Amino acid sequence: MDVKHHIFLTGATGLIGRYLLRNFLQDGHQVTVLIRPNKHQSVPERLNDLITFAQIPKKTSSQIQAIEGCLKDLALSSSDFNKIESCDMIVHSAASLSFHKNMNGEPWTTNLEGTRNLINVARKTGIKRWIQVSTAYVCGQQEEKVYEDDHNPASTQNDYESSKRAAEELITQQQDLDWTILRPGIVVGDSNSGYASTYQGIYHCLKSVAFMSRKIKPDNNGNKKLPIRYNLSGKEKTNLIPVDWVAEAITQLSLNPETINQYFHLTSQSPLLAETLVDAVQDYYELTGIEFIGKDAPQPEDKNIYEKIFDRETKRLGPYFQDDPDFDRSNLNKFLPGLEDFNVNKAFIHKLLDFAESDKWGKAENKTDKRKAGVDCNEFFEIYFPDAASRSKIARIKNLNISIGFKVHGDHGGGNWSCIIKKGDVVSVKEVSFLPDSLDVYYSTNHEIFEEIVTGAITTRDAFFKQHLQIDGDIEKALLLSVLLEDLLQEIPFKPTNQIRENICA
Amino acid sequence: MPSQIEIIEEALFLPGAAGQLEAVLTYPESGNSVPNVLIAGPHPLLGGDFENNVVQQLSNLLAMCQMTTLRFNYRGVGLSEGEKVISTDNISQFLATSHIDEEENFGEDVASAGNYLQQHFGKIDCVIGYSFGAYLASKWADNNENVKSIVMISPTIEKHDYNPFMNLNIPKLVISSLDDFAVPLDDLNKLFSECKEPKKLIIENIDNHFFRGYENWLAKAIQEFLGDIP
């Protein structure tokens, strides 16, 4: 296992991909990743995030390089090809998770055509070793046990499964590739931290219960009831599996040459039951009321609003949660006898929910902002704000009692500030490491937007409408206060001292 | 949405009960636009003006679908005449009661904007009220037989009286987000189940009360609703 590889990794920004990248780098391998920019981040910014996630020392970051590109439209330059030529293995974990074919042709464009494009790259660069991250569901839903080398699939249930199946077939037809096919179950967050980078699939369903739980008024005894009749028996199995466990298995199997031309199920031997999942979720949100009425029971005709919402979210999950087949794991157990099975239990579901809630289901913060600060947040919050507020309408609103959390992200000049206003007076503003949960309202933005707001280039409302500013807590108070802040900045404009200094120097 | 359609945004002042109201009439460059739509925005103390994302975007997107839209600023907001709404007294009152005395008068502004449309087009095919504007729109529609349909987006049912809405015979569309801070689901369900047909309810799990990034989706839902009206 001392052999060091140079791996060409696709899907590195995805949930599994980032864990694979971390494992490969921590094991000392070189990795070249294929990344496309998204609407919030450039390729270097995304790469930087991945290096941070991988928790590798700065000096080790030379182990990783990025090629900008998109699988479905792969136009590589000669220098890109030079980078890939030094690779000796492709780990293909990029995928579209669309269940049904959409207007852009997904999931087929990425999952099949993207794979075809990547095969051409492998051929041009002479890479033979190919690790294909597929899915356990390529064999559709079967009543019989599904074996790892199953080549007679029942009809697949959606475009996602069909496209992944077709990609597998395409790979295994290539005589010049030394392939290994890896088929995970439904991949969810980290077994230790609950971390997830996105909230797809089952998370849609969990999120809808989370939101509904906040809408339900407790009865006289303080109990919250979510009246949902669910057309399952509760004994249906579903094969959730934590991402770090899957990534560990993929890492080990990828690096073992004896796995060539083999298939592996990366699934749990003790799948989660629907009743355990429901119990865990109800327990977490202190709810009762979700009732299993049997898989074959007629659909209730008088569905209430919660049932309609729940139906829609579970429909998005497609056939999953309708009872998974048994996935045979003989091959996996043979090659990785030391890999302990992961028990997906109530405590694990709570961990996933804990993380999702703390991450506000992916909306907690805009992850990066590397721009240089031009305005000092401390100066704004601790000098300008108390002074200007005392001379503005705020001071005249004698029933204005509010605690505010401001969060400005960014490597240069960001931070958290807690501010208390009593009877219109700003009685305290201080920078804090963490904003407590007990504040009335929260505002969160990155440094660039913060600078534009406080210098009057944009209004708080514009920033909010464009989703550059997030508000939380008592929303009505937060909206009212943002009107007041806008008014304050118009009445007494903020003049940062560094700008004054620049003007003097000029 | 058909983004290739050019639209004209015509800034104007229309007569209101407390002075002139600042407004924008938006329509496709090609003319011949039907239906016509009035849009009433959120509470001015909570940042509600005609540049609100939902109000402005709906106005433009529906015009791209061959409609004429009218959006306006309530009295005392933007360039509309009247006492400035953002005042110490109003904010104090709002903090204490979640309402201000002036609130009911904003209903007159909806009527003024509606009258303007009616004078030019003979009827109002649809009134769209967003948030607090949904309350004003439903109240006004209840008193005006020239209003042919109503859309309420995130209606403030916890804070205002929506009884007038219950008895409306015209086609009704209600849109809300599952996580909307201002719309308790039980109350919305009750309101909707008790109001008269024809009616349609859309609840999606999107961006609380604000529909940021979902303005196209909103416009499409409204376009479909209006297209289904015989």
Side-chain angles (χ1 to χ4, degrees):
Chain A
M1 284 292 179
D2 278 329
V3 178
K4 297 299 177 203
H5 292 277
H6 187 164
I7 297 157
F8 184 38
L9 174 66
T10 70
T13 55
L15 181 56
I16 300 178
R18 63 184 55 217
Y19 275 81
L20 291 178
L21 177 67
R22 186 179 73 178
N23 289 354
F24 290 140
L25 291 175
Q26 287 183 349
D27 288 351
H29 303 287
Q30 289 277 326
V31 186
T32 296
V33 291
L34 180 71
I35 304 184
R36 58 183 171 177
N38 66 16
K39 62 180 176 181
H40 301 298
Q41 288 181 297
S42 66
V43 167
E45 284 172 333
R46 296 191 88 184
L47 181 65
N48 230 353
D49 275 2
L50 289 174
I51 290 172
T52 306
F53 177 81
Q55 295 176 319
I56 52 168
K58 281 281 175 205
K59 60 177 184 182
T60 323
S61 61
S62 60
Q63 276 174 245
I64 179 174
Q65 58 181 344
I67 290 175
E68 180 167 339
C70 176
L71 263 186
K72 54 191 176 188
D73 184 21
L74 204 52
L76 298 176
S77 66
S78 55
S79 93
D80 292 336
F81 273 109
N82 288 342
K83 287 179 187 170
I84 301 171
E85 267 168 2
S86 58
C87 297
D88 58 358
M89 180 191 292
I90 288 176
V91 176
H92 182 27
S93 78
S96 161
L97 302 178
S98 300
F99 287 161
H100 302 290
K101 191 172 177 179
N102 65 22
M103 284 164 62
N104 301 323
E106 296 291 12
W108 290 92
T109 327
T110 294
N111 295 353
L112 184 59
E113 294 314 311
T115 302
R116 203 186 303 280
N117 292 340
L118 198 59
I119 289 172
N120 288 333
V121 172
R123 197 151 286 147
K124 280 185 190 167
T125 51
I127 303 173
K128 290 192 168 307
R129 185 74 172 112
W130 185 293
I131 308 299
Q132 177 76 4
V133 181
S134 186
T135 168
Y137 297 89
V138 288
C139 291
Q141 286 284 1
Q142 298 185 20
E143 289 190 3
E144 305 81 38
K145 194 168 197 172
V146 179
Y147 290 93
E148 286 162 299
D149 58 351
D150 194 335
H151 296 294
N152 298 305
S155 58
T156 45
Q157 304 172 100
N158 54 39
D159 286 290
Y160 172 69
E161 292 176 2
S162 307
S163 63
K164 293 295 277 184
R165 178 88 208 177
E168 277 193 10
E169 284 168 358
L170 183 66
I171 296 297
T172 54
Q173 285 162 9
Q174 310 302 315
Q175 302 293 330
D176 50 348
L177 291 183
D178 295 333
W179 50 263
T180 300
I181 308 279
L182 304 168
R183 296 171 169 173
I186 298 172
V187 181
V188 290
D190 188 293
S191 61
N192 294 309
S193 63
Y195 170 90
S197 57
T198 59
Y199 299 93
Q200 310 282 333
I202 182 190
Y203 283 101
H204 281 303
C205 211
L206 297 175
K207 190 175 167 186
S208 74
V209 175
F211 283 131
M212 285 193 279
S213 75
R214 285 168 201 145
K215 289 285 170 184
I216 296 166
K217 292 172 186 164
D219 63 19
N220 294 338
N221 301 320
N223 299 320
K224 283 175 155 188
K225 191 171 177 193
L226 182 58
I228 289 177
R229 292 160 291 181
Y230 195 8
N231 269 100
L232 290 181
S233 71
K235 301 295 179 195
E236 291 79 3
K237 299 184 293 291
T238 194
N239 218 298
L240 300 190
I241 200 80
V243 61
D244 49 324
W245 186 93
V246 169
E248 184 54 35
I250 295 176
T251 308
Q252 292 191 34
L253 293 168
S254 305
L255 302 174
N256 183 348
E258 290 176 19
T259 61
I260 289 172
N261 293 3
Q262 303 271 352
Y263 295 83
F264 295 89
H265 276 155
L266 310 182
T267 50
S268 170
Q269 285 178 317
S270 49
L272 183 72
L273 298 183
E275 62 187 11
T276 311
L277 177 65
V278 165
D279 181 40
V281 175
Q282 291 203 123
D283 189 37
Y284 188 86
Y285 291 109
E286 298 176 338
L287 294 169
T288 58
I290 302 181
E291 180 191 354
F292 291 103
I293 58 170
K295 200 167 184 175
D296 301 322
Q299 290 266 342
E301 285 177 10
D302 56 337
K303 284 193 178 179
N304 60 50
I305 198 160
Y306 300 107
E307 290 173 319
K308 287 176 183 168
I309 291 163
F310 192 70
D311 267 5
R312 191 184 57 216
E313 298 304 323
T314 47
K315 255 183 201 159
R316 283 183 185 170
L317 283 175
Y320 312 108
F321 283 92
Q322 298 298 311
D323 205 10
D324 279 357
D326 284 333
F327 295 108
D328 179 66
R329 258 183 40 170
S330 307
N331 226 13
L332 182 72
N333 294 342
K334 181 177 143 194
F335 277 83
L336 297 180
L339 186 72
E340 281 183 28
D341 193 38
F342 183 79
N343 186 16
V344 179
N345 55 19
K346 197 166 160 178
F348 175 59
I349 301 298
H350 284 186
K351 211 173 269 183
L352 297 181
L353 291 170
D354 267 343
F355 184 85
E357 288 290 343
S358 69
D359 191 36
K360 299 190 190 309
W361 299 88
K363 290 185 176 171
E365 65 176 49
N366 183 353
K367 305 262 188 300
T368 56
D369 176 42
K370 310 291 176 201
R371 290 166 202 272
K372 194 170 181 301
V375 167
D376 182 353
C377 296
N378 269 310
E379 183 187 356
F380 178 83
F381 289 118
E382 296 176 28
I383 300 171
Y384 163 83
F385 183 63
D387 171 60
S390 71
R391 295 186 280 133
S392 75
K393 275 194 192 74
I394 291 176
R396 298 192 291 275
I397 304 169
K398 293 300 175 194
N399 60 343
L400 180 60
N401 299 300
I402 193 166
S403 54
I404 315 161
F406 295 101
K407 185 181 185 76
V408 181
H409 348 275
D411 286 354
H412 304 276
N416 302 310
W417 284 265
S418 151
C419 167
I420 312 286
I421 299 178
K422 283 185 182 166
K423 297 181 181 175
D425 289 335
V426 179
V427 294
S428 126
V429 182
K430 58 183 175 193
E431 188 171 5
V432 292
S433 303
F434 298 99
L435 290 169
D437 290 339
S438 52
L439 304 178
D440 294 323
V441 299
Y442 298 84
Y443 297 89
S444 166
T445 189
N446 68 39
H447 195 279
E448 184 194 13
I449 300 298
F450 167 79
E451 187 169 320
E452 289 186 18
I453 291 172
V454 299
T455 55
I458 58 170
T459 63
T460 52
R461 270 179 297 169
D462 282 342
F464 179 66
F465 292 151
K466 288 175 183 155
Q467 303 182 65
H468 294 149
L469 171 74
Q470 303 304 326
I471 60 174
D472 211 340
D474 182 331
I475 302 288
E476 190 168 282
K477 270 191 173 170
L479 291 172
L480 183 65
L481 189 68
S482 57
V483 168
L484 269 175
L485 291 173
E486 211 169 294
D487 193 70
L488 172 72
L489 286 161
Q490 276 178 10
E491 196 179 340
I492 308 168
F494 170 58
K495 294 190 173 62
T497 47
N498 64 349
Q499 284 185 11
I500 295 168
R501 219 174 289 132
E502 277 167 21
N503 290 342
I504 293 168
C505 293
Chain B
M1 307 304 287
S3 56
Q4 70 277 17
I5 294 188
E6 295 293 329
I7 54 169
I8 293 174
E9 289 181 87
E10 193 178 310
L12 55 93
F13 285 92
L14 55 87
Q20 293 205 311
L21 297 178
E22 183 187 19
V24 177
L25 191 70
T26 311
Y27 46 89
E29 196 177 43
S30 58
N32 298 329
S33 54
V34 279
N36 62 72
V37 174
L38 174 64
I39 305 176
H43 201 294
L45 263 193
L46 301 178
D49 62 16
F50 68 15
E51 288 177 339
N52 167 280
N53 64 319
V54 170
V55 175
Q56 184 178 32
Q57 291 282 321
L58 277 185
S59 177
N60 292 352
L61 291 165
L62 293 176
M64 287 175 195
C65 301
Q66 302 291 340
M67 300 185 204
T68 293
T69 61
L70 181 67
R71 59 188 161 109
F72 64 96
N73 274 332
Y74 296 111
R75 63 187 65 187
V77 176
L79 298 179
S80 286
E81 292 177 343
E83 272 190 44
K84 290 293 170 203
V85 179
I86 311 293
S87 69
T88 309
D89 287 346
N90 278 344
I91 293 170
S92 291
Q93 191 185 4
F94 194 86
L95 279 169
T97 64
S98 276
H99 295 280
I100 55 173
D101 293 340
E102 190 81 346
E103 247 166 44
E104 296 304 319
N105 297 336
F106 295 135
E108 292 178 357
D109 300 338
V110 177
S112 301
N115 288 342
Y116 179 89
L117 263 191
Q118 202 169 313
Q119 279 165 16
H120 286 78
F121 299 95
K123 61 183 169 60
I124 296 105
D125 291 300
C126 183
V127 58
I128 299 173
Y130 169 40
S131 187
F132 167 67
Y135 160 64
L136 299 179
S138 65
K139 211 169 78 161
W140 177 63
D142 187 42
N143 291 317
N144 193 323
E145 60 184 18
N146 290 311
V147 179
K148 302 302 177 194
S149 66
I150 181 167
V151 176
M152 300 207 302
I153 302 167
S154 292
T156 50
I157 50 180
E158 205 169 26
K159 289 177 62 177
H160 298 101
D161 173 16
Y162 279 79
N163 273 326
F165 176 76
M166 312 282 270
N167 298 318
L168 290 174
N169 290 313
I170 54 176
K172 295 171 277 296
L173 171 64
V174 181
I175 302 175
S176 178
S177 177
L178 176 57
D179 58 339
D180 193 318
F181 83 95
V183 189
L185 268 188
D186 286 336
D187 297 352
L188 179 63
N189 203 21
K190 187 167 183 294
L191 174 83
F192 186 76
S193 60
E194 290 174 8
C195 75
K196 290 183 180 173
E197 296 282 356
K199 59 188 178 181
K200 183 178 178 184
L201 174 65
I202 300 175
I203 297 182
E204 274 291 338
N205 196 0
I206 41 180
D207 196 36
N208 205 319
H209 192 68
F210 307 108
F211 301 93
R212 297 168 306 165
Y214 293 89
E215 295 90 349
N216 269 298
W217 174 85
L218 265 181
K220 192 161 178 283
I222 293 168
Q223 189 194 9
E224 280 172 11
F225 164 72
L226 292 175
D228 289 341
I229 297 173

